[in-house]
Amino acid sequence: MTHKQKKMLARVGAALAIFIVVEIIAHTGLVEGEHGLWIQFGLFLVPYLIAGYDVLGRAVHGITHGQPFDENLLMSIATIGAFALVFFPEAEPHMAEGAAVMLFYQVGEFFEEYAVGRTRRSITEMMDIAPDYANIMRDGDLVQVDPYEVAIGDEIVVKPGERIPLDGIVVDGASQLDTSALTGESVPRVVEAGVAVVSGCVNMTGVLTVRATKPFDQSTVSRILELVEEASEKKGRTEAFITRFARYYTPIVVGLAAIIAFASPVLFGQSWTDSIKGALIFLVVSCPCALVISVPLSFFSGIGAASRAGIMVKGSVYLEALAAAETVVFDKTGTLTNGTFNVVAVHTAEGVAPDLVLSYAAHAEAYSDHPIALSVKASYSGVIDRDQIARVEERSGMGIAADIDSHAVLVGNDKLMEAEGIDFKNCELVGTILYVALDGRHIGHIVIADVLKDDAEAAVRDLHAVGVKRIVMLTGDREEVAAAVADRLGIDEFHAQLMPGDKVSRVERLMARNDAANASGPAFGKASSKRFGARFGHREGTLAFVGDGINDAPVLMRSDVGIAMGAMGSDAAIEAADVVLMDDKPSNIARTVTIARKTMAIVWQNIIFAIGVKVVIMILALPFIGIATMWLAVFGDVGVACLAILNSMRALRLGR
């Protein structure tokens, strides 16, 4: 609890204690006689002013600065009016109700302050990931410098217990990293020399030397902090509508209260005291606090819950759009797959050991930096002896011919085998097939493929489980590779051999298809639903695109919701995206959709509940009905607001 919250709690607590004492005095008859009523007036005025002096001050400030119509004015008019009824001899005194309205209004304000503070803490916990310093060697000494002073290529020493200050590559040491602040994962990540690390992670065990690959202002931690700052600025349509609603709603309510107070005696023959009392009750119950507070708080809490799970949502507008997602489109490489080539199988001729095939292939590729060559060399467990390599000749578009340890070795595709007249066996597996021939004889082949991420299957399965109707994959890879990936993952539709521009046009067609599907069906139901969605939220059947590379940036911007991989994704993709997965796990997309939908459910629960209760009490407060009391109005305002706030705070638990 903050210092401000403690002061507010102390003030409200003191006012409540005095109010209870005064109420006891008033009901026990200790203050009676000719001046008893005015003594009670003065006594009830004490807790009223202690609790509400700031509300009265804000109302005066709004009037003098040309912005009078807000909840402070409603509370001020209603409570002052309740005290003013003492001047009408025929009216029942309502000082207790006036003091109670202000007191419990402040109780509601305290709940709001506490709830917002708790929600803000859940988000700003991520602000603690920002490192205060970086350790670098200068003149043989380890010194602490500002992370902004570290240049690309500088080597940073990270001790156990310290945060990694900049993105980089481990050049020395081995350790375990706590990545929970970024990814929400509780399992430590093991790192060693050659492994890429991102800023904001906590070094747990050994000392690491990290070579910086990005300046601090472009590092992962800086991007996260920017996303946190931007998130609160982008309001969803529902939230923005509530803000506009409150702006026009308050002056209308004041006008209606004036009509009730001054027109009822003329039109319905009501007494002036009853009319004024009904108008005051109307003002109290009509205060829009429950809506103005709970709706933004619900979105804020939903974003906080997502951030705790390592999912950065850049604003409530995107949370709202994601809740309506019916189609999720995936890029393949780097999104559903790891984005790196790996040896997935080694098939050999009879009597040939797999390690022998890998050995000759690795030696033949010894001088190549091609990703396929690197994957072969990484898979070979032995030591490459370059002294054995007498000659290496690259065959353009086919492979490599080399003399290794006095043997003629060929490593390449089927075209190379055919060109050399070597019989070989076709492989049924999908991927890049690297055939190996020794002295004119095929001895085996190596299957190289981009390996699926561990949770790719779970990602597709979970999205279907949460109600996403169609899952599509777009890729620039070959048709047969795309078909194999789609079949294995259970993807509904795929399109292969696409250029970045082709991806944009495909997404636009899918979005148009969504619109056409949502426009079909029963005319009244669909038309009214579309109008409702256009007025209060996103259109039905939104499309989310998931990508990681710079080539995905145009599609991320064009889609209804762009989702990027945050850990290893390109800066362009992260900037273009609306949602960033800091752990690069596609399985978290279904989790994000669930958080978004539950958040929207809480938002609409608050809207319907608050408006429903207030409308009922407003009707009961009309002078010609006259059933509602000031205490019922207190519940309609403060009680409903507190319940809505508590309901909004449920969104904080959605990410757990």
Side-chain angles (χ1 to χ4, degrees):
M1 192 178 296
T2 64
H3 180 66
K4 180 183 177 183
Q5 291 170 353
K6 289 179 180 178
K7 285 181 63 178
M8 188 176 183
L9 182 61
R11 179 159 62 90
V12 172
L16 180 60
I18 295 171
F19 176 82
I20 293 172
V21 172
V22 175
E23 185 75 2
I24 292 171
I25 292 173
H27 280 82
T28 54
L30 295 176
V31 181
E32 293 181 345
E34 183 180 352
H35 303 291
L37 182 62
W38 293 103
I39 293 173
Q40 290 183 35
F41 181 92
L43 290 174
F44 278 114
L45 198 60
V46 174
Y48 173 78
L49 293 175
I50 292 175
Y53 72 88
D54 55 339
V55 175
L56 299 173
R58 289 195 294 269
V60 172
H61 183 270
I63 293 171
T64 56
H65 286 75
Q67 296 178 331
F69 297 109
D70 58 15
E71 63 269 21
N72 296 300
L73 180 67
L74 294 183
M75 284 295 105
S76 298
I77 294 175
T79 53
I80 292 172
F83 274 86
L85 287 175
V86 75
F87 294 99
F88 294 82
E90 73 277 12
E92 182 183 348
H94 287 282
M95 296 89 69
E97 287 90 336
V101 167
M102 184 62 75
L103 179 60
F104 289 114
Y105 173 73
Q106 290 291 58
V107 171
E109 289 285 291
F110 172 78
F111 268 108
E112 176 200 355
E113 185 78 19
Y114 178 77
V116 171
R118 207 181 140 190
T119 306
R120 185 175 286 116
R121 283 196 300 274
S122 74
I123 293 179
T124 55
E125 282 176 356
M126 301 199 68
M127 305 296 277
D128 294 334
I129 66 177
D132 298 321
Y133 60 88
N135 301 315
I136 63 172
M137 295 297 297
R138 285 184 177 174
D139 300 326
D141 295 322
L142 196 64
V143 296
Q144 294 183 353
V145 301
D146 192 298
Y148 283 100
E149 297 179 15
V150 180
I152 296 175
D154 286 350
E155 292 188 356
I156 309 159
V157 177
V158 186
K159 301 175 184 177
E162 294 182 337
R163 292 189 182 276
I164 296 176
L166 289 88
D167 296 2
I169 302 289
V170 178
V171 295
D172 187 40
S175 182
Q176 292 182 320
L177 298 184
D178 179 2
T179 65
S180 58
L182 276 71
T183 68
E185 283 293 322
S186 58
V187 180
R189 177 190 170 199
V190 178
V191 296
E192 57 188 8
V195 176
V197 293
V198 297
S199 54
C201 299
V202 178
N203 184 19
M204 298 175 64
T205 52
V207 177
L208 295 175
T209 302
V210 179
R211 182 183 295 114
T213 56
K214 293 180 181 178
F216 181 72
D217 58 358
Q218 297 178 19
S219 64
T220 299
V221 68
S222 294
R223 295 203 304 263
I224 292 173
L225 298 181
E226 288 174 5
L227 296 179
V228 171
E229 292 168 0
E230 292 173 0
S232 61
E233 300 174 2
K234 298 177 180 177
K235 293 184 177 180
R237 295 187 182 182
T238 306
E239 186 178 358
F241 170 76
I242 292 298
T243 303
R244 294 194 303 271
F245 169 80
R247 190 180 304 138
Y248 297 107
Y249 168 83
T250 305
I252 292 172
V253 164
V254 173
L256 290 174
I259 292 172
I260 293 172
F262 300 109
S264 294
V266 178
L267 298 177
F268 303 104
Q270 298 288 321
S271 67
W272 283 100
T273 52
D274 288 341
S275 299
I276 293 172
K277 178 185 172 184
L280 296 177
I281 293 172
F282 186 87
L283 282 176
V284 172
V285 76
S286 62
C287 185
C289 298
L291 292 176
V292 175
I293 295 170
S294 67
V295 172
L297 182 60
S298 298
F299 282 115
F300 198 33
S301 298
I303 292 172
S307 69
R308 192 163 51 243
I311 305 162
M312 298 303 303
V313 183
K314 294 185 181 181
S316 58
V317 61
Y318 308 118
L319 204 67
E320 192 171 8
L322 198 58
E326 289 185 353
T327 302
V328 175
V329 182
F330 284 96
D331 168 58
K332 181 182 75 71
T333 305
T335 303
L336 292 172
T337 68
N338 289 319
T340 57
F341 287 104
N342 292 277
V343 174
V344 297
V346 179
H347 297 164
T348 65
E350 187 175 351
V352 179
D355 203 51
L356 182 67
V357 175
L358 277 174
S359 174
Y360 280 115
H363 280 80
E365 302 280 7
Y367 297 99
S368 176
D369 291 326
H370 191 279
I372 291 176
L374 294 176
S375 67
V376 172
K377 288 185 285 187
S379 183
Y380 176 54
S381 59
V383 177
I384 298 176
D385 185 0
R386 297 194 178 190
D387 293 336
Q388 295 183 5
I389 307 170
R391 177 186 66 90
V392 177
E393 178 189 347
E394 185 174 349
R395 305 284 180 87
S396 181
M398 294 188 292
I400 290 174
D403 291 336
I404 301 171
D405 196 22
S406 303
H407 293 284
V409 178
L410 297 172
V411 181
N413 56 25
D414 54 350
K415 294 179 181 178
L416 179 62
M417 298 294 108
E418 290 171 354
E420 296 294 330
I422 297 173
D423 292 331
F424 63 96
K425 184 178 180 182
N426 285 317
C427 184
E428 296 180 355
L429 296 180
V430 176
T432 299
I433 311 300
L434 208 60
Y435 296 94
V436 181
L438 181 67
D439 296 330
R441 183 174 72 91
H442 173 244
I443 61 172
H445 55 260
I446 302 168
V447 183
I448 300 170
D450 189 3
V451 180
L452 290 172
K453 288 185 175 179
D454 294 337
D455 64 332
E457 290 186 55
V460 175
R461 183 181 64 249
D462 292 348
L463 283 170
H464 279 133
V466 300
V468 173
K469 296 180 179 179
R470 185 164 65 251
I471 298 176
V472 183
M473 183 180 72
L474 305 180
T475 179
D477 211 336
R478 302 192 313 275
E479 184 86 15
E480 62 270 22
V481 175
V485 172
D487 181 65
R488 179 174 174 182
L489 297 181
I491 289 172
D492 304 311
E493 181 181 337
F494 73 90
H495 303 276
Q497 297 177 308
L498 301 176
M499 300 296 289
D502 299 329
K503 289 185 179 181
V504 173
S505 61
R506 283 287 179 185
V507 165
E508 288 177 341
R509 290 183 206 172
L510 290 167
M511 292 169 69
R513 193 194 304 176
N514 279 358
D515 290 341
N518 288 317
S520 63
F524 173 78
K526 284 292 180 181
S528 59
S529 177
K530 293 289 280 184
R531 286 195 298 270
F532 183 82
R535 186 71 182 88
F536 295 104
H538 278 264
R539 62 184 179 83
E540 290 188 347
T542 57
L543 180 145
F545 178 82
V546 191
D548 72 306
I550 189 171
N551 62 315
D552 296 321
V555 205
L556 289 165
M557 295 189 70
R558 180 63 186 89
S559 57
D560 295 316
V561 186
I563 304 174
M565 301 294 158
M568 302 306 293
S570 71
D571 291 343
I574 292 170
E575 288 296 323
D578 310 311
V579 179
V580 181
L581 306 180
M582 299 313 303
D583 60 358
D584 285 359
K585 288 186 175 181
S587 57
N588 269 339
I589 299 170
R591 191 177 187 182
T592 312
V593 172
T594 301
I595 290 173
R597 290 178 177 174
K598 289 184 177 180
T599 299
M600 289 305 302
I602 291 171
V603 166
W604 284 106
Q605 287 168 11
N606 287 340
I607 291 174
I608 294 169
F609 174 68
I611 293 177
V613 172
K614 287 180 179 293
V615 167
V616 171
I617 298 176
M618 283 179 183
I619 294 171
L620 296 178
L622 295 173
F624 55 84
I625 297 178
I627 298 176
T629 64
M630 190 66 77
W631 290 109
L632 185 59
V634 170
F635 169 76
D637 174 37
V638 180
V640 169
C642 289
L643 291 173
I645 289 169
L646 291 173
N647 191 44
S648 298
M649 291 179 68
R650 289 196 301 119
L652 277 172
R653 303 179 61 85
L654 297 178
R656 296 178 180 176

